[in-house]
Amino acid sequence: MRTALILSGGGARAAYQVGVLRGLVEIIGPDRQPFEVICGTSAGAINAAYLAAYADRPGEGVMRMFHGWRALHASDIYDTTWVGVWRSLVTTLYSALAGRESDMPQAVLDNQPLHQLLARWLDFSAIRRNIAAGKVRDLCITVMNYSSGESVAFHEGVDATHWERIHRRGVPVELGVDHILASAAIPILFPPHQINGHYFGDGALRQLHPLSPALHLGADRLFIVGVSANRRLASPLPEVPPTVAQMAGHLLNREFIDNLEADIEHSEKINKLLARGSTDQARPIEILVITPSIAFDDVAARYIRRQPRSMRLLFRLLGARGRGAGASFASYLLFDGGFCEELIEAGYQDAWENEAAIRNFFPDGTAVVAPHNTHSMTGSPR
């Protein structure tokens, strides 16, 4: 049985994953690396590559990632200077008036600082050493090809499988920073990233089946960390005309959250059908899901005013001023130490709330068997 870790996308929301992973290593032990396959999308790809680089020292890797996310500032991810933000806005206006395709901007923000951050954070030579030593079997990073519209799962490891499905395929490659940058290139906000002459963007785009890459790489046990806004805790918004930011927030939620939740639901239905049958040719997929017990929009609304002045102006122009007017959209860009720390703490608490399910899913010995189709949705925080 092969266990995979699946880390979804979500911009700054991916800080939540760090908290869950911190709780996980405390529950099962800092020296235990339980994942043969690690899959990441968008900001989740950053965390996935970081974990793979420390597969031989999982406890240390998670703590380093924890301190790194806590120290983040928006300027570490994109240009927050007045010059940088206004350059993007002026370029957009000029290109609209000039009408020349060559002048069209590729994004609203310049994410060049992220290039420098990832070069410091990620060690791909360490990833290859860990693969060679058997500490991790495969690392998979999902991107979207802007030309073909395909979801492409770039993967490196023991499995060199190339697969083709409708609108998606898997390609074995030697992974590098370029693949992470492409996977984390949130559409419209960050520019597409070029790899071998093709332009790629955020892996959550057109990713209709987020669980598929892990299954293609042979996993039949999935530990999934989502970044859902937790609809159960959300109160209805007032019936007023939506702002641009509010509409953009729904579009981003559609790509980063809804596809994953729908794929999990689909897998659970298949598991139930398999459980009713008597065939020995297929077995249910074991799934453990950890999702937020807090509403991220409410947390984000408190931190918008703490952002650099240039970003506060951009949020205001787009209508992201509070929970009812685009906080969901803003949350994807709130690379703020305080915001990230709250999400990390929420993930940590949620991991411990699910301690029993986690211990059952990752038993210490072969005598304990994890139940099929374990699906944990967290309750209220401690």
Side-chain angles (χ1 to χ4, degrees), residues 74 78 85 109 189 243-246 300 303-322 325-327 329-335:
Y78 49 85
V85 174
L109 299 171
L189 299 176
T243 65
V244 171
Q246 190 172 343
Y303 283 90
I304 291 176
R305 65 177 65 93
R306 290 181 41 167
Q307 301 313 295
R309 290 183 178 181
S310 57
M311 291 306 300
R312 293 206 305 269
L313 175 61
L314 179 61
F315 287 146
R316 181 175 292 274
L317 290 174
L318 295 176
R321 295 187 296 274
F329 165 77
S331 69
Y332 289 93
L333 290 171
L334 291 181
F335 292 94

Side-chain angles (χ1 to χ4, degrees), residues 48-269:
Y50 206 112
L51 286 176
Y54 282 90
D56 56 334
R57 296 165 289 161
E60 178 184 344
V62 169
M63 287 308 298
R64 285 179 176 270
M65 188 162 53
F66 165 68
H67 291 300
W69 273 89
R70 287 179 63 195
L72 276 183
H73 298 281
S75 58
D76 294 320
I77 308 300
Y78 49 85
D79 188 349
T80 62
T81 64
W82 284 106
V83 173
V85 174
W86 278 108
R87 182 190 299 118
S88 298
L89 294 176
V90 170
T91 301
T92 301
L93 179 60
Y94 172 77
S95 63
L97 295 175
R100 293 196 299 268
E101 185 174 352
S102 60
D103 295 326
M104 292 294 177
Q106 294 182 319
V108 174
L109 299 171
D110 177 7
N111 66 340
Q112 184 60 37
L114 179 60
H115 297 217
Q116 302 165 5
L117 177 71
L118 295 185
R120 298 194 306 269
W121 272 20
L122 304 180
D123 185 350
F124 286 89
S125 61
I127 293 174
R128 293 184 185 97
R129 287 196 302 270
N130 287 331
I131 291 174
K135 301 298 182 180
V136 64
R137 180 182 176 90
D138 294 281
L139 172 64
C140 180
I141 304 300
T142 303
V143 302
M144 196 277 284
N145 187 320
Y146 273 109
S147 298
S148 66
E150 289 181 311
S151 175
V152 182
F154 289 119
H155 60 96
E156 179 176 1
V158 176
D159 195 325
T161 302
H162 187 290
W163 67 83
E164 296 271 354
R165 296 293 186 270
I166 297 176
H167 301 309
R168 53 194 169 94
R169 59 193 178 99
V171 181
V173 297
E174 185 175 284
L175 292 170
V177 173
D178 286 337
H179 299 92
I180 310 298
L181 286 167
S183 186
I186 301 176
I188 300 175
L189 299 176
F190 297 153
H193 198 76
Q194 189 176 26
I195 303 175
N196 297 329
H198 297 277
Y199 287 95
F200 296 94
D202 199 292
L205 293 175
R206 303 297 297 272
Q207 192 182 30
L208 302 179
H209 299 284
L211 308 186
S212 173
L215 300 179
H216 277 290
L217 292 172
D220 49 15
R221 306 178 73 250
L222 308 180
F223 184 79
I224 305 169
V225 185
V227 294
S228 168
N230 200 317
R231 294 186 181 88
R232 294 176 303 158
L233 299 179
S235 57
L237 297 176
E239 292 294 339
V240 296
T243 65
V244 171
Q246 190 172 343
M247 291 186 286
H250 283 297
L251 291 175
L252 292 176
N253 289 343
R254 167 67 177 86
E255 298 299 333
F256 287 108
I257 297 172
D258 295 353
N259 285 341
L260 177 62
E261 293 179 345
D263 211 17
I264 292 171
E265 183 179 20
H266 178 69
S267 297
E268 291 181 330
K269 289 180 179 178

